[in-house]
Amino acid sequence: MIDAVLTIAQSQTPGPMAQATLFHYLIVSALMFGIGLIGFLTRRNLIIMFLCTELMFQAAGIALIAFSRFHLNHTGETFVIFVLTIAAAEAALALALVVLLFRRRETLDAGVWSQLRG
Amino acid sequence: MVAAPRLTVVLVVPEPLTGPIPFENLVTDLINQLQLVLAVAGDPAHASGARPGGPTLGELPNWVLAMPFLPLLACVLCGLCAVFKVRTKLPAIITVVSLAGSFVVAILAYQMTMSGGAGGGGQYAVLKAWDWINFQFGVREAQSVVANFSFYIDALTCLWMLFVCGLGAVIALYASEYMSHDVGPGYCRFFVAFNLFVFSMACLVMGDNLLLLFLGWEGVGLCSYLLIGYFYTKPAAVAAGKKAFIVNRIGDLGLSMGIMATFVVFGTVEYTKLFELIAAGKTGSGADLATHWAVWVIPALLTVGAFGKSAQLFFYVWLPDAMEGPTPVSALIHAATMVTAGVFLIARLYPLFTADPNLSVLTFVAWAGAITAFWAATIEMAIFDIKRVMGYSTISQLGFMFAGLGLLTPVGAAFHTFTHAFFKATLFLGVGAVMHGFGGQLDLRRLSGVMWMKGFGLVGIAMLIGSINLSGVPFTAGYFSKDLILAAGFATPDTMIGGAQWVAWLLLITAGMTAYYTFRTYLRVYVGPKEFVPGDDPDLVDMGRHPKGTSLDDWHAQHGHGHGHSHDHGHDHGHAHGHDHGHGGVADRRLAHRQDFDPTTEEFDPHPPGLAMKAAIIIVMTLSVLAAGLYFYKAMPGGDHGGWVGGVIHASQVSGSQPIVDKAHGGTFFGQDPHKVMYYVSALVGLIGILIAAFLHGPKGWQGLFIGNREKCDVAPRADRLANAFGPLTKLARNKYFVDEIYDALIVKPLWVLSHIFHLIDKLLVDGLVNLFGLLPRGAGSLARKQQTGVLHEYAIRMAVGVALMLAIVIVVKGRGVI
């Protein structure tokens, strides 16, 4: 199975049945990142914004794994595993923060937190 | 330190260097070059011949050093008393013992100095304590600055140290009681400064170089400041201390410039080398001293310093104000010792002053002294504060001393300094006893018949003895010493000191005025009807208050002779029965102004001096009487005038100018020899002064010599009428000629305005510039600050756009194949 995927990924010539190449992975990654970014910029709900950042995270992870496959080494995958672990911890923290922020203002609107205005 | 060959940049090294180069050579080279640029002091001729005036004393034993260092030790011990919170009279005991020890050493040193050889002296010994300033800045031996902590001991030094230490010990004894209302930290502080003063004075008098003299000079100035401002909660005392310090700075500028000029010209500040050069008539570079500019410039600069410290001419204003200090301080520092430092300075360097063939500076000194003496005497005749009278009298008598120096009689000046130290101390201690006993009262219109009050008889006798000395009543010490100066004035020819006769006439008139103002004070305050108004010094008033119906003695016997007894004791013990002391009415009227003083239950009795004060008064009184005997006691052959002091001065380095002094003869007083006729003339002048005082101020009867008519303490009809007749002139003198006000308007106010202008410049220009630079980041910040909106999405958008832009740039650049 792995060998099959490897051959697909490495094949330079697309077959009749459209095979998933690096290009496809990167497209997916870019789309996910774009969705995440747009979501982050447009939504005001803290939880949604947080989810969007996670989305961007994972997009980057996909790109890393794809490149890792492409270059036939495991560096990118190892890296992504670390990123995922840390992202999990960070998610716990971030959600806790969101809960605290909510408790103080009874709203999830990011717009109310603007005291750092110069 | 000179053993190794020296490497210099300018001079060629004569032989190859062996061994390591000492570090000081590096410094030496630097200074050497600097010195070449400045071309300071040349090579003093190393006079290898005989020292001027005779052989050295050789070695004096090291314990002579105890003279200056015992007071220093006492100073440290008193400081420790303050640290350990001693609340007894221990500091006073330490001080008296150490100063008495110094005095004994001074006597022994005097004996050794005088027994060293035959008269005509000039013998000295140098005792080194330790290196102080000692370095070379060039290759030659002369290129060095040497000013060690070593002491030059000759007869003049001994003369000065005898009365500094002796009076110091006696006045410390007096102060032990006088300051007793302040036992505790203040007491320790007083005696620390007192001892430090004696140590500084010893450095000034005994130092073997001008720099050590300067150190002592500044030291006594500091102690004077500290002690004038002793009552630091009293604004007048603080201001007086500052005034003394600041006025002295002007004089000290002259002195320091004089010392620098001495170094530049003679290449040394040590007396031994200096006197050699002066005796040889050379400057340090071998030029002829008599035609060199330094021959009058250095004495002129030193004179400025001397006038500052000794309150002469324009500088006198600080001394009357210095009377704000405790009376023992006034007696020791501002009458007997410190203010004679100027006289000492000129006497010490008398050979330099007489090296000038024109004697121009000495002429100036003579005139300045006489004018100051006269000027101060006119003020004394008008003012009412008896302590201020003594202050101005000191200025006046210092004027006599300076005139004596100027009239080429250093013997007369030294003798007058010596006798004045004792009789003026007597007068001050007497005034202090009155001030102490009458609640700080010093107004001669509010005191009368003090001598007849209980416990004040001794004070009255002491004041009488001081007064006859000051007035120059025949056969007193003051009479002989003043005569020497007056006679010298008439004897000195006009060709040596311009207008010497006029100076002498001015001094003679001043002598008459002195007799008048002295006995004015004496006859008003000490004799006559018993009457007084107590002063308003709270501490001193407390010493004389007691409940009505008891006597002061009983009261003290019951409650202990504590000076600091509590303020409210009177109210608990009051028995209001009308017991009248005769003066009680006056006392009550005055004291009724005090909040805590209840005239219905309390009254005030003068508080007589105690054992310590009486002992001190008796000692100085006796010494002032005995000082007259010194005139007849020849310590040394040689010196036809001046008795003991004459011998002492002849044995000292002052004898270096003996050839000049010996020439100052030949003048006459109406065809007579002034040295003979002046005994009668000055006695007559003094007696006339006393009689006028008795006529104007004396009480009725024998106490006023049967010519006085004063009946009350505040009214002397004849004197008041005379004062009114002079009208504005009296007012002018009574207000001290408004000199303080003139100085205020001419110097203080312009300086005040100038300093405020500078303050404005500082505030507007300097601070403005700094603030401007401070505004720059602030302004820039106010622009940048607007970017911080606090809205999370904006930050995110900017970040996204930024990242996009960077990516775009990377892509474009990469697309062009640059990277």
Side-chain angles (χ1 to χ4, degrees):
Chain A
M1 162 84 181
I2 289 169
D3 289 340
V5 175
L6 274 176
T7 34
I8 291 163
Q10 277 184 326
S11 65
Q12 295 295 315
T13 48
M17 196 183 131
Q19 281 187 322
T21 61
L22 178 65
F23 179 73
H24 297 108
Y25 285 102
L26 290 182
I27 289 291
V28 171
S29 169
L31 281 174
M32 273 173 75
F33 190 85
I35 290 165
L37 186 61
I38 290 165
F40 186 82
L41 294 181
T42 52
R43 299 298 294 263
R44 298 172 73 93
N45 187 312
L46 279 171
I47 292 177
I48 302 292
M49 285 167 74
F50 175 67
L51 288 178
C52 289
T53 60
E54 287 298 314
L55 211 55
M56 288 187 276
F57 242 133
Q58 304 317 320
I62 287 172
L64 278 169
I65 289 176
F67 280 120
S68 177
R69 251 339 261 140
F70 183 69
H71 288 298
L72 284 177
N73 65 28
H74 300 286
T75 316
E77 283 155 28
T78 318
F79 200 69
V80 168
I81 286 172
F82 276 106
V83 168
L84 282 178
T85 321
I86 292 164
E90 172 248 306
L93 271 179
L95 282 172
L97 281 173
V98 168
V99 171
L100 284 176
L101 290 171
F102 177 78
R103 279 191 188 160
R104 292 190 73 143
R105 291 286 170 94
E106 293 291 322
T107 173
L108 285 172
D109 188 352
V112 302
W113 300 101
S114 58
Q115 278 96 339
L116 284 178
R117 179 174 59 242
Chain B
M1 114 180 206
V2 237
R6 293 182 169 277
L7 175 74
T8 56
V9 177
V10 189
L11 298 171
V12 181
V13 183
E15 63 258 89
L17 284 168
T18 53
I21 306 167
F23 170 74
E24 68 250 33
N25 279 7
L26 299 173
V27 184
T28 306
D29 291 344
L30 255 174
I31 298 172
N32 207 356
Q33 293 187 25
L34 198 72
Q35 186 260 336
L36 281 171
V37 173
L38 295 173
V40 273
D43 193 4
H46 291 297
S48 53
R51 294 183 191 284
T56 62
L57 267 176
E59 292 290 306
L60 275 183
N62 273 333
W63 50 259
V64 173
L65 287 176
M67 212 184 333
F69 289 114
L70 267 177
L72 187 63
L73 179 71
C75 173
V76 173
L77 289 178
C78 291
L80 287 175
C81 285
V83 172
F84 291 112
K85 301 197 165 38
V86 172
R87 297 201 151 269
T88 60
K89 290 191 177 180
L90 183 63
I93 296 166
I94 294 171
T95 308
V96 173
V97 169
S98 79
L99 294 185
S102 285
F103 178 60
V104 171
V105 176
I107 292 176
L108 295 174
Y110 162 76
Q111 282 184 338
M112 283 187 283
T113 313
M114 298 301 272
S115 62
Q123 304 168 74
Y124 66 94
V126 174
L127 262 184
K128 185 166 161 183
W130 59 74
D131 268 6
W132 182 35
I133 295 170
N134 188 353
F135 68 92
Q136 286 217 308
F137 54 83
V139 284
R140 284 169 299 174
E141 202 194 323
Q143 290 171 323
S144 59
V145 183
V146 184
N148 288 326
F149 229 93
S150 46
F151 299 101
Y152 183 96
I153 295 159
D154 74 340
L156 184 70
T157 309
C158 290
L159 176 72
W160 239 266
M161 284 315 286
L162 277 174
F163 73 78
V164 169
C165 296
L167 277 177
V170 177
I171 292 171
L173 177 69
Y174 181 91
S176 71
E177 184 190 327
Y178 190 91
M179 303 306 294
S180 57
H181 59 82
D182 221 9
V183 166
Y187 205 66
C188 296
R189 181 163 57 89
F190 178 85
F191 283 102
V192 164
F194 198 93
N195 283 306
L196 190 61
F197 167 76
V198 179
F199 171 70
S200 307
M201 195 69 201
C203 286
L204 194 164
V205 173
M206 298 175 70
D208 92 319
N209 54 69
L210 286 169
L211 278 182
L212 192 53
L213 176 139
F214 191 67
L215 184 80
W217 194 273
E218 295 302 310
V220 292
L222 168 72
C223 297
S224 160
Y225 165 77
L226 292 174
L227 289 168
I228 295 169
Y230 175 77
F231 298 117
Y232 58 84
T233 49
K234 236 168 96 186
V238 174
K242 274 197 284 190
K243 188 169 171 182
F245 204 71
I246 291 166
V247 174
N248 266 302
R249 292 280 76 66
I250 303 167
D252 292 353
L253 177 70
L255 177 66
S256 54
M257 281 167 70
I259 293 173
M260 286 184 243
T262 308
F263 182 71
V264 168
V265 172
F266 292 101
T268 180
V269 289
E270 287 177 297
Y271 292 147
T272 35
K273 290 182 186 167
L274 202 58
F275 289 143
E276 273 175 27
L277 287 168
I278 293 166
K282 302 270 184 224
T283 68
S285 54
D288 186 20
L289 181 60
T291 53
H292 198 273
W293 54 266
V295 81
W296 68 272
V297 170
I298 294 176
L301 289 170
L302 296 176
T303 301
V304 173
F307 279 11
K309 191 59 90 199
S310 294
Q312 294 295 296
L313 227 55
F314 319 109
F315 297 111
Y316 77 87
V317 287
W318 68 267
L319 190 51
D321 286 23
M323 297 300 134
E324 289 294 340
T327 307
V329 169
S330 309
L332 180 68
I333 301 185
H334 304 119
T337 56
M338 184 190 83
V339 287
T340 66
V343 181
F344 175 80
L345 176 69
I346 296 182
R348 173 91 287 169
L349 295 172
Y350 212 60
L352 178 62
F353 280 73
T354 50
D356 180 2
N358 300 323
L359 297 172
S360 44
V361 174
L362 283 181
T363 310
F364 171 70
V365 169
W367 275 102
I371 289 168
T372 311
F374 180 78
W375 179 265
T378 56
I379 297 174
E380 285 151 80
M381 296 200 304
I383 56 178
F384 297 116
D385 181 326
I386 53 176
K387 205 175 168 193
R388 291 276 194 291
V389 168
M390 293 306 153
Y392 278 105
S393 161
T394 303
I395 296 170
S396 180
Q397 296 302 304
L398 286 165
F400 271 88
M401 295 167 208
F402 277 98
L405 289 169
L407 294 169
L408 296 171
T409 170
V411 173
F415 196 11
H416 200 52
T417 308
F418 194 80
T419 57
H420 174 260
F422 289 102
F423 68 71
K424 189 51 73 61
T426 312
L427 287 168
F428 264 111
L429 297 192
V431 167
V434 170
M435 191 180 170
H436 198 246
F438 290 82
Q441 183 58 270
L442 285 172
D443 193 327
L444 58 80
R445 292 167 299 186
R446 296 191 160 78
L447 292 164
S448 174
V450 168
M451 190 172 173
W452 315 119
M453 292 181 198
K454 198 178 166 205
F456 281 91
L458 177 71
V459 177
I461 294 167
M463 287 303 290
L464 181 61
I465 287 172
S467 297
I468 59 175
N469 268 290
L470 183 55
S471 321
V473 168
F475 306 111
T476 57
Y479 166 72
F480 291 124
S481 55
K482 201 184 282 178
D483 268 8
L484 275 178
I485 295 168
L486 292 172
F490 287 109
T492 306
D494 246 350
T495 47
M496 297 180 81
I497 301 293
Q501 270 71 31
W502 297 111
V503 171
W505 273 113
L506 197 54
L507 290 176
L508 194 59
I509 294 166
T510 310
M513 289 157 72
T514 308
Y516 166 72
Y517 73 68
T518 311
F519 270 88
R520 167 179 180 255
T521 309
Y522 181 76
L523 293 168
R524 298 269 316 225
V525 174
Y526 292 90
V527 293
K530 285 198 276 181
E531 217 182 321
F532 75 94
V533 182
D536 47 12
D537 185 310
D539 287 334
L540 296 178
V541 164
D542 280 349
M543 284 187 234
R545 55 196 290 194
H546 61 96
K548 262 190 180 167
T550 58
S551 78
L552 189 63
D553 286 344
D554 293 346
W555 174 249
H556 279 154
Q558 278 169 32
H559 296 87
H561 194 71
H563 285 305
H565 38 94
S566 73
H567 281 244
D568 56 2
H569 57 72
H571 304 296
D572 305 333
H573 301 268
H575 308 286
H577 48 89
H579 176 75
D580 201 353
H581 282 252
H583 54 258
V586 189
D588 292 350
R589 199 167 64 229
R590 172 72 173 228
L591 288 170
H593 295 296
R594 282 170 57 95
Q595 293 294 314
D596 61 331
F597 193 93
D598 182 2
T600 58
T601 58
E602 271 190 284
E603 58 190 24
F604 179 91
D605 271 355
H607 168 80
L611 200 61
M613 278 166 74
K614 275 185 176 154
I617 290 174
I618 289 172
I619 295 171
V620 284
M621 185 173 88
T622 315
L623 289 175
S624 341
V625 173
L626 292 182
L630 295 176
Y631 188 68
F632 303 103
Y633 174 74
K634 295 270 179 195
M636 285 281 188
D640 45 348
H641 306 294
W644 175 71
V645 175
V648 168
I649 296 298
H650 277 282
S652 74
Q653 285 292 333
V654 181
S655 61
S657 42
Q658 198 58 41
I660 309 285
V661 173
D662 282 342
K663 270 193 265 174
H665 288 295
T668 59
F669 184 76
F670 296 115
Q672 307 288 317
D673 178 7
H675 283 286
K676 295 208 174 83
V677 78
M678 200 44 64
Y679 290 123
Y680 309 107
V681 175
S682 82
L684 188 68
V685 167
L687 288 176
I688 290 173
I690 293 172
L691 287 178
I692 294 174
F695 181 72
L696 292 179
H697 297 280
K700 271 188 175 165
W702 66 272
Q703 293 176 57
L705 304 177
F706 299 108
I707 53 174
N709 72 340
R710 181 170 64 84
E711 282 174 333
K712 276 164 53 184
C713 79
D714 53 348
V715 186
R718 289 174 187 155
D720 295 344
R721 226 175 303 139
L722 190 69
N724 285 336
F726 278 108
L729 208 59
T730 313
K731 208 173 167 189
L732 209 58
R734 200 160 281 169
N735 288 302
K736 297 137 198 170
Y737 297 113
F738 298 100
V739 169
D740 281 330
E741 285 77 7
I742 292 168
Y743 280 6
D744 193 54
L746 288 184
I747 300 169
V748 180
K749 282 278 150 57
L751 275 176
W752 189 87
V753 170
L754 196 67
S755 63
H756 275 258
I757 291 171
F758 282 141
H759 174 69
L760 274 182
I761 290 175
D762 184 56
K763 201 165 183 177
L764 296 179
L765 196 72
V766 180
D767 284 6
L769 274 175
V770 172
N771 287 341
L772 191 67
F773 282 110
L775 275 177
L776 278 179
R778 209 190 159 114
S782 72
L783 289 176
R785 199 162 51 230
K786 296 214 174 76
Q787 306 304 311
Q788 298 286 331
T789 55
V791 180
L792 193 55
H793 291 94
E794 277 197 37
Y795 299 154
I797 287 170
R798 284 193 207 135
M799 193 174 95
V801 170
V803 169
L805 269 174
M806 273 155 62
L807 268 177
I809 290 166
V810 168
I811 289 164
V812 169
V813 169
K814 182 149 188 170
R816 292 203 181 149
V818 177
I819 297 175

